[in-house]
Coordinates of all heavy atoms in Angstrom, one line a residue:
M1245 N 21.2 3.9 8.4 CA 20.2 2.9 8.4 C 20.6 1.6 9.1 O 20.4 0.6 8.7 CB 19.7 2.6 7.0 CG 18.7 3.5 6.6 SD 17.8 3.2 5.1 CE 18.4 1.8 4.3
A1246 N 21.3 1.8 10.2 CA 21.8 0.6 11.0 C 20.7 -0.3 11.4 O 19.7 0.2 12.1 CB 22.7 1.1 12.1
G1247 N 20.7 -1.5 11.1 CA 19.7 -2.5 11.5 C 18.4 -2.4 10.7 O 17.4 -3.0 11.1
K1248 N 18.3 -1.6 9.7 CA 17.1 -1.4 8.9 C 17.4 -1.8 7.4 O 18.5 -1.6 7.0 CB 16.6 0.0 9.0 CG 16.1 0.4 10.4 CD 15.5 1.7 10.3 CE 15.0 2.1 11.7 NZ 14.3 3.4 11.7
A1249 N 16.4 -2.2 6.7 CA 16.6 -2.5 5.3 C 15.9 -1.5 4.5 O 14.9 -0.9 4.9 CB 15.9 -3.9 5.0
A1250 N 16.5 -1.1 3.4 CA 15.9 -0.2 2.4 C 14.6 -0.8 1.8 O 14.6 -2.0 1.5 CB 16.9 0.2 1.3
V1251 N 13.6 -0.1 1.7 CA 12.4 -0.6 1.0 C 12.3 0.0 -0.4 O 12.2 1.2 -0.6 CB 11.1 -0.1 1.8 CG1 9.8 -0.5 1.1 CG2 11.1 -0.6 3.2
L1252 N 12.4 -0.9 -1.4 CA 12.3 -0.6 -2.8 C 11.0 -1.3 -3.3 O 10.8 -2.5 -3.0 CB 13.5 -1.1 -3.5 CG 14.9 -0.6 -3.0 CD1 16.0 -1.3 -3.8 CD2 14.9 0.9 -3.2
V1253 N 10.2 -0.6 -4.1 CA 9.0 -1.2 -4.6 C 9.1 -1.4 -6.1 O 9.8 -0.6 -6.8 CB 7.8 -0.4 -4.2 CG1 7.5 -0.5 -2.7 CG2 7.9 1.0 -4.6
D1254 N 8.4 -2.3 -6.7 CA 8.4 -2.6 -8.1 C 7.1 -3.2 -8.5 O 6.4 -3.8 -7.7 CB 9.5 -3.6 -8.5 CG 9.7 -3.7 -10.0 OD1 9.2 -2.8 -10.7 OD2 10.4 -4.6 -10.4
G1255 N 6.7 -2.9 -9.7 CA 5.5 -3.5 -10.2 C 4.3 -2.5 -10.4 O 3.8 -2.0 -9.5
G1256 N 4.0 -2.3 -11.7 CA 2.8 -1.5 -12.0 C 3.0 0.0 -11.9 O 2.0 0.7 -12.0
F1257 N 4.2 0.5 -11.8 CA 4.4 1.9 -11.8 C 4.5 2.5 -13.2 O 5.4 2.2 -13.9 CB 5.7 2.3 -11.0 CG 5.6 2.0 -9.5 CD1 5.9 0.7 -9.0 CD2 5.0 2.9 -8.7 CE1 5.8 0.4 -7.7 CE2 4.9 2.6 -7.3 CZ 5.2 1.4 -6.8
R1258 N 3.5 3.3 -13.5 CA 3.4 3.9 -14.8 C 3.3 5.4 -14.9 O 3.4 6.0 -15.9 CB 2.1 3.3 -15.6 CG 2.0 1.8 -15.6 CD 3.0 1.2 -16.6 NE 2.9 -0.2 -16.7 CZ 3.5 -1.1 -15.9 NH1 4.3 -0.7 -15.0 NH2 3.3 -2.4 -16.0
R1259 N 3.0 6.0 -13.7 CA 2.8 7.5 -13.6 C 3.6 8.1 -12.5 O 3.9 7.4 -11.5 CB 1.3 7.8 -13.4 CG 0.4 7.3 -14.6 CD -1.0 7.7 -14.3 NE -1.6 7.1 -13.1 CZ -2.2 5.9 -13.0 NH1 -2.4 5.2 -14.1 NH2 -2.6 5.4 -11.9
G1260 N 3.8 9.4 -12.6 CA 4.5 10.1 -11.5 C 3.7 10.0 -10.2 O 4.3 9.9 -9.1
S1261 N 2.3 9.9 -10.3 CA 1.5 9.8 -9.1 C 1.8 8.5 -8.4 O 1.7 8.4 -7.1 CB 0.0 10.0 -9.4 OG -0.4 9.0 -10.3
D1262 N 2.0 7.5 -9.1 CA 2.3 6.1 -8.5 C 3.6 6.2 -7.7 O 3.7 5.7 -6.6 CB 2.5 5.1 -9.6 CG 1.2 4.8 -10.4 OD1 0.1 5.0 -9.9 OD2 1.4 4.4 -11.6
I1263 N 4.6 6.9 -8.3 CA 5.9 7.1 -7.6 C 5.7 7.9 -6.4 O 6.3 7.6 -5.3 CB 6.9 7.7 -8.6 CG1 7.1 6.7 -9.8 CG2 8.2 8.0 -7.9 CD1 7.9 7.3 -10.9
A1264 N 5.0 9.0 -6.5 CA 4.8 9.9 -5.3 C 4.1 9.1 -4.2 O 4.5 9.3 -3.0 CB 4.0 11.1 -5.7
K1265 N 3.1 8.3 -4.5 CA 2.4 7.6 -3.4 C 3.3 6.6 -2.7 O 3.3 6.4 -1.5 CB 1.2 6.8 -4.0 CG 0.1 7.8 -4.4 CD -1.0 6.9 -5.1 CE -1.8 7.8 -6.1 NZ -2.7 7.0 -6.9
A1266 N 4.1 5.9 -3.5 CA 5.1 4.9 -3.0 C 6.1 5.6 -2.0 O 6.3 5.1 -0.9 CB 5.8 4.1 -4.1
L1267 N 6.6 6.7 -2.5 CA 7.6 7.4 -1.6 C 6.9 8.0 -0.4 O 7.5 7.9 0.7 CB 8.2 8.5 -2.4 CG 9.1 8.0 -3.6 CD1 9.6 9.2 -4.4 CD2 10.3 7.2 -3.1
A1268 N 5.7 8.5 -0.5 CA 4.9 9.0 0.6 C 4.6 7.9 1.6 O 4.6 8.2 2.8 CB 3.7 9.7 0.2
L1269 N 4.5 6.7 1.2 CA 4.1 5.6 2.1 C 5.4 5.0 2.7 O 5.3 4.0 3.4 CB 3.3 4.6 1.4 CG 1.9 5.1 1.1 CD1 1.1 4.1 0.2 CD2 1.1 5.3 2.3
G1270 N 6.6 5.5 2.4 CA 7.8 5.0 3.0 C 8.8 4.3 2.2 O 9.9 3.9 2.7
A1271 N 8.6 4.1 0.9 CA 9.6 3.5 0.1 C 10.8 4.4 -0.1 O 10.6 5.6 -0.2 CB 9.0 3.1 -1.3
Q1272 N 12.0 3.8 -0.1 CA 13.2 4.6 -0.4 C 13.4 4.7 -1.9 O 14.2 5.6 -2.3 CB 14.4 4.0 0.3 CG 14.5 4.4 1.8 CD 13.6 3.5 2.7 OE1 13.5 2.3 2.4 NE2 13.0 4.1 3.6
G1273 N 12.8 3.9 -2.7 CA 13.0 3.9 -4.1 C 12.0 3.1 -4.8 O 11.3 2.3 -4.3
V1274 N 11.8 3.4 -6.1 CA 10.9 2.8 -7.0 C 11.6 2.2 -8.2 O 12.4 2.9 -8.8 CB 9.8 3.8 -7.5 CG1 8.8 3.1 -8.4 CG2 9.0 4.3 -6.3
L1275 N 11.4 0.9 -8.5 CA 12.0 0.3 -9.6 C 11.1 0.3 -10.8 O 9.9 0.1 -10.7 CB 12.4 -1.2 -9.3 CG 13.2 -1.3 -8.0 CD1 13.3 -2.8 -7.6 CD2 14.5 -0.7 -8.1
L1276 N 11.7 0.6 -12.0 CA 10.9 0.9 -13.2 C 11.3 0.1 -14.4 O 11.5 0.6 -15.4 CB 11.0 2.4 -13.5 CG 10.6 3.4 -12.5 CD1 11.1 4.8 -12.9 CD2 9.1 3.4 -12.3
A1277 N 11.3 -1.2 -14.2 CA 11.8 -2.1 -15.3 C 10.9 -2.0 -16.6 O 11.4 -1.8 -17.7 CB 12.0 -3.5 -14.8
R1278 N 9.6 -2.3 -16.4 CA 8.8 -2.5 -17.6 C 8.7 -1.2 -18.5 O 8.9 -1.3 -19.7 CB 7.4 -3.0 -17.2 CG 6.6 -3.4 -18.4 CD 5.3 -4.0 -18.0 NE 5.6 -5.3 -17.4 CZ 4.8 -6.0 -16.7 NH1 3.5 -5.6 -16.5 NH2 5.1 -7.2 -16.1
P1279 N 8.4 0.0 -17.9 CA 8.4 1.2 -18.8 C 9.7 1.4 -19.5 O 9.7 1.8 -20.7 CB 8.0 2.3 -17.8 CG 7.4 1.7 -16.7 CD 8.0 0.3 -16.6
V1280 N 10.8 1.2 -18.8 CA 12.1 1.4 -19.4 C 12.3 0.4 -20.5 O 12.8 0.8 -21.6 CB 13.2 1.3 -18.3 CG1 14.6 1.3 -19.0 CG2 13.1 2.5 -17.3
M1281 N 11.9 -0.8 -20.4 CA 12.1 -1.8 -21.4 C 11.2 -1.5 -22.6 O 11.6 -1.7 -23.8 CB 11.7 -3.2 -20.9 CG 12.8 -3.8 -20.0 SD 14.3 -3.9 -20.9 CE 15.5 -3.7 -19.6
W1282 N 10.0 -1.0 -22.4 CA 9.1 -0.5 -23.5 C 9.8 0.6 -24.3 O 9.8 0.6 -25.5 CB 7.8 0.0 -23.0 CG 6.9 -1.1 -22.5 CD1 6.9 -2.5 -22.8 CD2 5.8 -1.0 -21.7 NE1 5.9 -3.1 -22.2 CE2 5.2 -2.2 -21.5 CE3 5.2 0.1 -21.0 CZ2 4.1 -2.4 -20.7 CZ3 4.1 -0.1 -20.3 CH2 3.5 -1.3 -20.1
G1283 N 10.4 1.6 -23.6 CA 11.1 2.6 -24.3 C 12.3 2.1 -25.1 O 12.5 2.6 -26.2
L1284 N 13.0 1.2 -24.5 CA 14.2 0.6 -25.1 C 13.8 -0.1 -26.4 O 14.4 0.0 -27.5 CB 14.9 -0.3 -24.2 CG 16.2 -1.0 -24.7 CD1 17.2 0.1 -25.1 CD2 16.7 -2.0 -23.7
A1285 N 12.7 -1.0 -26.3 CA 12.3 -1.8 -27.4 C 11.7 -0.9 -28.6 O 11.9 -1.2 -29.7 CB 11.2 -2.7 -27.0
A1286 N 11.1 0.2 -28.2 CA 10.5 1.0 -29.2 C 11.5 2.0 -29.9 O 11.5 2.2 -31.1 CB 9.3 1.8 -28.6
Y1287 N 12.3 2.6 -29.1 CA 13.2 3.7 -29.6 C 14.6 3.7 -29.2 O 15.3 4.7 -29.3 CB 12.6 5.1 -29.3 CG 11.2 5.3 -29.9 CD1 10.1 5.2 -29.0 CD2 11.0 5.5 -31.2 CE1 8.8 5.4 -29.5 CE2 9.7 5.7 -31.7 CZ 8.7 5.6 -30.9 OH 7.4 5.8 -31.4
G1288 N 15.0 2.5 -28.6 CA 16.4 2.4 -28.1 C 16.7 3.3 -27.0 O 15.9 3.6 -26.1
A1289 N 18.0 3.8 -26.9 CA 18.4 4.7 -25.8 C 17.6 5.9 -25.7 O 17.3 6.4 -24.6 CB 19.9 5.0 -25.9
D1290 N 17.2 6.5 -26.8 CA 16.3 7.7 -26.8 C 15.0 7.4 -26.2 O 14.4 8.2 -25.5 CB 16.1 8.3 -28.2 CG 17.4 8.9 -28.8 OD1 18.3 9.2 -28.0 OD2 17.5 9.0 -30.0
G1291 N 14.5 6.2 -26.4 CA 13.2 5.8 -25.8 C 13.3 5.7 -24.3 O 12.4 6.1 -23.6
V1292 N 14.4 5.1 -23.8 CA 14.6 5.0 -22.3 C 14.7 6.4 -21.7 O 14.0 6.7 -20.7 CB 15.9 4.3 -22.0 CG1 16.2 4.3 -20.5 CG2 15.8 2.8 -22.5
Q1293 N 15.4 7.3 -22.4 CA 15.6 8.7 -21.9 C 14.2 9.4 -21.9 O 13.8 10.1 -20.9 CB 16.5 9.5 -22.7 CG 16.7 10.9 -22.2 CD 17.8 11.6 -23.0 OE1 18.6 11.1 -23.7 NE2 17.9 12.9 -22.8
G1294 N 13.4 9.2 -22.9 CA 12.1 9.8 -23.0 C 11.2 9.3 -21.9 O 10.4 10.1 -21.3
V1295 N 11.2 8.0 -21.7 CA 10.3 7.4 -20.6 C 10.7 8.0 -19.2 O 9.9 8.5 -18.5 CB 10.4 5.9 -20.5 CG1 9.9 5.3 -19.3 CG2 9.8 5.3 -21.7
L1296 N 12.0 8.1 -19.0 CA 12.5 8.6 -17.7 C 12.1 10.1 -17.5 O 11.7 10.6 -16.5 CB 13.9 8.3 -17.5 CG 14.3 6.9 -17.4 CD1 15.8 6.7 -17.2 CD2 13.6 6.2 -16.2
E1297 N 12.3 10.9 -18.6 CA 11.9 12.3 -18.6 C 10.4 12.5 -18.4 O 10.0 13.4 -17.6 CB 12.4 13.0 -19.9 CG 13.9 13.2 -19.9 CD 14.4 13.7 -21.3 OE1 13.6 13.9 -22.2 OE2 15.6 13.9 -21.4
M1298 N 9.6 11.7 -19.0 CA 8.2 11.8 -18.8 C 7.8 11.5 -17.4 O 7.0 12.2 -16.8 CB 7.4 10.8 -19.7 CG 7.3 11.3 -21.1 SD 6.2 10.3 -22.2 CE 6.9 8.7 -22.1
L1299 N 8.4 10.4 -16.8 CA 8.1 10.1 -15.4 C 8.6 11.2 -14.4 O 7.9 11.5 -13.5 CB 8.7 8.7 -15.0 CG 8.0 7.5 -15.6 CD1 8.8 6.3 -15.4 CD2 6.6 7.3 -15.0
Q1300 N 9.7 11.7 -14.7 CA 10.3 12.8 -13.9 C 9.4 14.0 -13.9 O 9.1 14.6 -12.9 CB 11.7 13.1 -14.3 CG 12.4 14.1 -13.4 CD 13.8 14.4 -13.8 OE1 14.2 14.1 -14.9 NE2 14.6 15.0 -12.9
S1301 N 9.0 14.4 -15.1 CA 8.2 15.6 -15.2 C 6.8 15.4 -14.6 O 6.2 16.3 -13.9 CB 8.1 16.1 -16.6 OG 7.4 15.2 -17.4
D1302 N 6.2 14.2 -14.7 CA 4.9 13.9 -14.1 C 5.0 13.8 -12.6 O 4.2 14.3 -11.9 CB 4.4 12.5 -14.7 CG 3.0 12.2 -14.3 OD1 2.2 13.2 -14.3 OD2 2.6 11.1 -14.2
L1303 N 6.1 13.3 -12.1 CA 6.4 13.3 -10.7 C 6.5 14.7 -10.1 O 5.9 15.1 -9.1 CB 7.6 12.5 -10.3 CG 8.1 12.5 -8.8 CD1 7.0 12.0 -7.9 CD2 9.4 11.8 -8.6
A1304 N 7.2 15.6 -10.8 CA 7.4 17.0 -10.4 C 6.0 17.7 -10.4 O 5.7 18.4 -9.5 CB 8.4 17.7 -11.3
R1305 N 5.2 17.5 -11.5 CA 3.9 18.1 -11.5 C 3.0 17.6 -10.3 O 2.3 18.4 -9.7 CB 3.2 17.7 -12.8 CG 3.2 18.8 -13.8 CD 2.2 18.5 -15.0 NE 2.3 17.1 -15.5 CZ 3.2 16.7 -16.4 NH1 4.1 17.5 -16.8 NH2 3.1 15.4 -16.8
N1306 N 3.1 16.3 -10.1 CA 2.3 15.7 -9.0 C 2.7 16.3 -7.6 O 1.9 16.5 -6.8 CB 2.4 14.2 -9.1 CG 1.4 13.5 -8.2 OD1 1.6 13.3 -7.0 ND2 0.2 13.2 -8.8
M1307 N 4.0 16.4 -7.5 CA 4.5 16.9 -6.2 C 4.1 18.4 -6.0 O 3.7 18.8 -4.9 CB 6.0 16.9 -6.1 CG 6.6 15.5 -6.0 SD 8.3 15.3 -6.1 CE 8.9 16.4 -4.8
G1308 N 4.1 19.2 -7.1 CA 3.6 20.5 -7.0 C 2.1 20.6 -6.7 O 1.7 21.4 -5.9
A1309 N 1.3 19.7 -7.2 CA -0.1 19.7 -6.9 C -0.3 19.3 -5.4 O -1.3 19.7 -4.8 CB -0.8 18.7 -7.8
R1310 N 0.6 18.5 -4.8 CA 0.5 18.1 -3.4 C 1.1 19.1 -2.5 O 1.1 19.0 -1.3 CB 1.2 16.8 -3.2 CG 0.5 15.6 -3.9 CD 1.4 14.4 -3.8 NE 1.0 13.3 -4.6 CZ 0.1 12.3 -4.2 NH1 -0.3 12.3 -3.0 NH2 -0.3 11.4 -5.0
G1311 N 1.8 20.2 -3.1 CA 2.5 21.1 -2.2 C 3.8 20.6 -1.6 O 4.2 21.1 -0.6
A1312 N 4.4 19.7 -2.3 CA 5.6 19.0 -1.8 C 6.8 19.6 -2.6 O 7.0 19.2 -3.8 CB 5.5 17.5 -2.0
P1313 N 7.6 20.4 -2.0 CA 8.8 21.0 -2.8 C 9.9 20.1 -3.0 O 10.7 20.3 -3.9 CB 9.2 22.2 -1.9 CG 8.8 21.8 -0.5 CD 7.5 20.9 -0.7
N1314 N 10.0 19.0 -2.3 CA 11.1 18.0 -2.5 C 10.6 16.6 -2.1 O 9.5 16.4 -1.5 CB 12.3 18.4 -1.7 CG 12.0 18.6 -0.2 OD1 11.3 17.8 0.4 ND2 12.6 19.6 0.3
L1315 N 11.4 15.6 -2.4 CA 11.0 14.2 -2.1 C 10.8 13.9 -0.6 O 9.9 13.2 -0.2 CB 12.0 13.2 -2.7 CG 12.1 13.2 -4.2 CD1 13.2 12.2 -4.7 CD2 10.8 12.8 -4.8
A1316 N 11.6 14.6 0.2 CA 11.5 14.4 1.7 C 10.2 14.8 2.2 O 9.7 14.4 3.3 CB 12.7 15.0 2.4
S1317 N 9.5 15.8 1.5 CA 8.3 16.3 2.0 C 7.1 15.5 1.6 O 5.9 15.8 2.0 CB 8.1 17.8 1.6 OG 8.0 17.8 0.2
L1318 N 7.3 14.4 0.9 CA 6.2 13.5 0.6 C 5.9 12.6 1.8 O 6.8 11.8 2.2 CB 6.5 12.6 -0.6 CG 6.5 13.3 -2.0 CD1 7.1 12.4 -3.1 CD2 5.1 13.8 -2.4
T1319 N 4.8 12.7 2.4 CA 4.5 12.0 3.6 C 3.1 11.4 3.4 O 2.3 11.8 2.5 CB 4.5 12.8 4.9 OG1 3.5 13.8 4.8 CG2 5.9 13.5 5.1
R1320 N 2.7 10.6 4.4 CA 1.3 10.0 4.3 C 0.3 11.1 4.3 O -0.8 10.9 3.7 CB 1.1 9.1 5.5 CG 1.8 7.8 5.4 CD 1.5 6.9 6.7 NE 2.3 5.7 6.6 CZ 1.8 4.6 6.1 NH1 0.6 4.5 5.6 NH2 2.5 3.5 6.0
A1321 N 0.5 12.2 4.9 CA -0.4 13.3 5.0 C -0.7 13.9 3.6 O -1.7 14.6 3.4 CB 0.1 14.4 5.9
T1322 N 0.3 13.7 2.7 CA 0.1 14.3 1.3 C -0.7 13.4 0.4 O -1.0 13.8 -0.7 CB 1.5 14.6 0.6 OG1 2.2 13.3 0.5 CG2 2.3 15.5 1.4
I1323 N -1.1 12.2 0.9 CA -2.0 11.3 0.1 C -3.4 11.6 0.4 O -3.8 11.6 1.6 CB -1.6 9.9 0.4 CG1 -0.1 9.6 0.0 CG2 -2.5 8.9 -0.3 CD1 0.3 8.2 0.4
R1324 N -4.2 11.8 -0.6 CA -5.6 11.9 -0.5 C -6.3 10.6 -0.4 O -6.1 9.7 -1.3 CB -6.2 12.7 -1.7 CG -7.3 13.6 -1.3 CD -7.8 14.4 -2.5 NE -6.9 15.6 -2.7 CZ -6.8 16.2 -3.8 NH1 -7.5 15.9 -4.8 NH2 -6.0 17.3 -3.9
R1325 N -7.1 10.3 0.6 CA -7.8 9.0 0.7 C -9.3 9.3 0.5 O -9.9 10.2 1.1 CB -7.5 8.4 2.0 CG -6.1 8.1 2.2 CD -5.8 7.6 3.5 NE -4.3 7.6 3.7 CZ -3.7 7.5 4.8 NH1 -4.4 7.3 5.9 NH2 -2.4 7.6 4.8
H1326 N -9.9 8.4 -0.2 CA -11.4 8.5 -0.4 C -12.1 7.5 0.5 O -11.7 6.3 0.6 CB -11.7 8.1 -1.9 CG -11.1 9.0 -2.8 ND1 -11.5 10.3 -3.1 CD2 -10.0 8.9 -3.6 CE1 -10.7 10.9 -4.0 NE2 -9.8 10.1 -4.3
S1327 N -13.0 8.0 1.2 CA -13.8 7.1 2.1 C -14.8 6.3 1.3 O -15.3 6.8 0.3 CB -14.4 7.9 3.3 OG -15.3 8.8 2.7
R1328 N -15.2 5.2 1.8 CA -16.2 4.3 1.2 C -17.6 4.7 1.6 O -18.0 5.0 2.5 CB -15.9 2.9 1.5 CG -14.7 2.4 0.8 CD -14.5 0.9 1.1 NE -13.3 0.5 0.5 CZ -13.1 -0.5 -0.3 NH1 -14.2 -1.3 -0.6 NH2 -12.0 -0.8 -0.8

């Protein structure tokens, strides 16, 4: 990535579909502070693990629905857009 900056997005990510869309639109990573903090506050380390497992399984389901076998295959073409 010489001469380029990594694009990381944060804010409002609550579902695997949110993560899939961000990655498909070019983000190299998604930051998940708030959901992780909710899990930590509610159930400690087990809550954090539960939140991350839920997001991971939701992302995997969403990728399967899009026909994307891996993260690299998430592209703009995999995003469904609704016309007005």
Side-chain angles (χ1 to χ4, degrees):
M1245 272 191 358
K1248 295 185 179 182
V1251 176
L1252 304 173
V1253 293
D1254 189 17
F1257 291 90
R1258 306 286 183 269
R1259 297 182 300 268
S1261 60
D1262 298 331
I1263 297 168
K1265 289 176 210 170
L1267 295 173
L1269 292 172
Q1272 279 82 40
V1274 175
L1275 306 174
L1276 301 167
R1278 189 171 294 164
V1280 169
M1281 288 297 151
W1282 286 341
L1284 181 63
Y1287 300 105
D1290 290 338
V1292 172
Q1293 182 174 348
V1295 166
L1296 295 177
E1297 287 174 356
M1298 282 190 300
L1299 286 169
Q1300 184 178 16
S1301 64
D1302 192 32
L1303 174 60
R1305 258 191 319 277
N1306 194 271
M1307 288 173 60
R1310 293 171 190 267
N1314 55 43
L1315 293 176
S1317 62
L1318 288 172
T1319 63
R1320 288 180 182 265
T1322 62
I1323 299 174
R1324 213 178 279 161
R1325 296 177 196 165
H1326 301 282
S1327 60
R1328 292 184 183 229

